[in-house]
Structures are given as C-alpha cells and as structure tokens.
C-alpha cells in the first residue's frame, strides 16, 4: 500500500484542513465511503470538492486518526494538481502514469493532460497532448520550447519536475476555471445504452451521508477541474434512477442552474 500524506493547512473559518489532489481527478467508489467515514468521524461532517480536482476535509479534530483512515484510499494522490479531461479515460490514465513517475515532487502548478481533440482547461503551466496514436507530447508553454518528440510518462514527469522550479502557483490562474464543466447527461463519447452523469455541487459541500451514498453506487467518479463530479459508465435505465436519487440531495444536473454559480 502507498503511504499517503495529504497537504495540511489552517483556515481561519474551518481550522485544520487537508487537501487531496487525485491524479486526473480519478477516484473509486470505495474512496467515497472512506472519505465519508473520515468526514463523519474526525472532521466537520462534509466532504468538499473544489477547482483543480481538489478534495478537502475541514475542521479536523484528530489528524493522526485521519491519516490512518486515509491510508485505505485507492486513489492516487499527488502533491500538486494534475488535471485531466474528465471524459477521457486515456487522459486520466496518462495522468495516473505520470503521477506514478513524479513520486514525491512537491509544490508547483497543475499539469493538464489533454486528450486528442479535447478542449484544454486553460489553467496549465505545462500541457501534455495525446496524439491519435497515443503518443505523448509536451506542448509549448511559458517555460520555453518543449520537446517535439513523443514522450514516455517517465520523460514527461522529468520535464514537468524541472518546470516546477520556474513557474508560478496555479492559484494565480484560478479564473481560468470559472465555467461549470461537464454537467448533465453525457453520452456522445460512449457506446449506446451507457452514459456518464456530470453533476455540480452547491458550494462544493457534500454531507458525509451523501458521500457515503455516492460511494454505494459502485461506479468510478471523477472530480473535475471545475469542481464538479462525473459518475461514469452507467446503464441508461440505472442513470434515470441515479438522477432521481441524487438531484434532491444537492447534486446539480442542470447546466443552467443558478446554484452552479451561487456563492
């Protein structure tokens, strides 16, 4: 099991908090069961999601107990935001691969892993594209000329680690992620009969009991760069049921909902 040490910080409103960056925003159902338990046992009772695919627990009462529980997470955590197109399995797997190579590099901006023909998030200091044949390419960035040859995940991680020394914090680019991201019934990228469901969360706060509930759906869940969730690969009939269950519980499936933009 990988030892996992989350980023810890103090907030004047919430006290001690931890922030988790899941590589590519990718999480598993069991992660949400564990997060719900942590929120209920040793935090303020909520799991929070935010831009840059961040997961937070706030109002921590027992940091040691929390760290022990977090070791059960299945997600791959990174020390910095590593963003991926939430509807691209290839992009998210690439983020996972690069995260594994980066290891313990700390600090720095976010890395956006953009699938072929996807729309970039706009919040990148370093951007990787995936060619149609699956080759990785490091794009031009404020860091200067990037290699033009295809990269392995190891090489991409090496270039990114070097870049961390010269770039400003991703928080300076926060305004680039003001749109809500993929919301609603998402099926254009999937076989017939299967859908993804994109949801916003009002103020990013999910009560522990609802975090437990989405864990019980037993589907993979992506935390998007825009601070939403995508529930993946659900049969159409089951998706209707999921909508009816989650919509009354604060999950927003309407792209035009004013709650997506309300403070």
């Amino acid at each position: 099991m990988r030892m996992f040490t989350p980023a810890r910080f103090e907030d004047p409103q919430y006290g001690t908090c931890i922030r988790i960056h899941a590589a590519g925003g990718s999480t598993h159902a069991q992660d949400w069961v564990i997060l719900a338990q942590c929120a209920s046992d040793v935090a303020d009772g909520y799991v929070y999601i935010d831009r840059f695919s961040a997961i937070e627990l706030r109002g921590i009462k027992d940091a040691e107990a929390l760290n022990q529980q977090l070791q059960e997470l299945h997600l791959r955590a990174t020390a910095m935001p590593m963003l991926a197109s939430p509807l691209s399995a290839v992009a998210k797997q690439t983020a996972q691969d690069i995260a594994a190579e980066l290891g313990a590099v700390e600090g720095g901006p976010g890395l956006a892993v953009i699938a072929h023909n996807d729309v970039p998030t706009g919040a990148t200091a370093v951007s990787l594209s995936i060619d149609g044949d699956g080759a990785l390419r490091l794009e031009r960035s404020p860091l200067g000329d990037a290699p033009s040859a295809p990269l392995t995940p190891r090489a991409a991680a090496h270039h990114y680690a070097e870049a961390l020394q010269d770039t400003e914090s991703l928080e300076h680019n926060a305004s680039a992620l003001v749109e809500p991201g993929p919301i609603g019934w998402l099926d254009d990228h999937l076989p017939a009969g299967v859908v993804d469901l994109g949801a916003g969360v009002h103020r990013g706060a999910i009560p522990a009991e609802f975090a437990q509930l989405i864990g019980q759906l037993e589907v993979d869940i992506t935390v998007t760069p825009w601070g939403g969730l995508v529930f993946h690969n659900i049969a159409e009939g089951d998706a209707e049921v999921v909508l009816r269950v989650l919509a009354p519980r604060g999950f927003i499936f309407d792209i035009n909902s004013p709650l997506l933009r309300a403070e």
Side-chain angles (χ1 to χ4, degrees), residues 105-120:
V105 174
E106 296 188 6
L111 171 64
V113 180
I114 307 301
H116 185 60
N117 291 333
D118 279 3
V119 178

Side-chain angles (χ1 to χ4, degrees), residues 213-238:
L213 177 64
I214 64 176
Q216 292 172 347
L217 295 176
E218 297 186 350
V219 299
D220 290 338
I221 301 171
T222 297
V223 183
T224 75
W226 299 271
L229 298 174
V230 176
F231 304 95
H232 292 285
N233 297 315
I234 307 173
E236 285 187 354
D238 294 338

Side-chain angles (χ1 to χ4, degrees), residues 142-210:
L143 306 173
D145 292 340
S148 59
L151 299 170
T152 64
R154 181 181 296 275
H158 172 73
H159 285 293
Y160 184 54
E162 288 185 343
L164 295 180
Q165 302 174 19
D166 301 313
T167 52
E168 296 181 353
S169 169
L170 181 59
E171 294 299 325
H172 293 173
N173 295 319
S175 61
L177 293 178
V178 295
E179 61 180 279
I183 300 290
W185 192 274
L186 310 167
D187 59 2
D188 290 346
H189 61 295
L190 293 170
V194 180
V195 303
D196 288 349
L197 291 176
V201 177
H202 183 45
R203 295 181 177 173
I206 306 173
E209 61 183 302
F210 298 162

Side-chain angles (χ1 to χ4, degrees), residues 14 16-18 34-46 57-70 208:
Y14 295 102
T16 301
C17 307
I18 63 105
I34 295 166
L35 289 167
Q37 192 67 48
C38 292
S40 178
D41 289 350
V42 295
D44 69 354
Y46 289 83
L57 295 173
R58 302 173 182 172
I60 306 301
K61 305 177 184 72
D62 187 335
E64 183 177 348
L66 175 63
N67 282 337
Q68 290 179 356
Q69 288 181 269
L70 292 177

Side-chain angles (χ1 to χ4, degrees), residues 21-98:
H21 294 296
S26 297
T27 69
H28 305 279
Q30 186 61 24
D31 291 326
W32 290 90
V33 174
I34 295 166
L35 289 167
Q37 192 67 48
C38 292
S40 178
D41 289 350
V42 295
D44 69 354
Y46 289 83
V47 179
Y48 298 88
I49 57 174
D50 204 350
R51 290 172 298 180
F52 311 115
S53 302
I55 302 169
E56 293 183 2
L57 295 173
R58 302 173 182 172
I60 306 301
K61 305 177 184 72
D62 187 335
E64 183 177 348
L66 175 63
N67 282 337
Q68 290 179 356
Q69 288 181 269
L70 292 177
Q71 301 312 313
E72 302 299 319
L73 290 173
H74 296 276
L75 60 81
R76 180 176 289 280
T78 59
M80 74 294 289
M82 182 170 291
L83 312 182
S85 302
L87 303 185
S88 171
V90 174
K92 288 186 292 183
Q93 183 58 54
T94 301
Q96 298 271 325
D97 294 342
I98 296 172

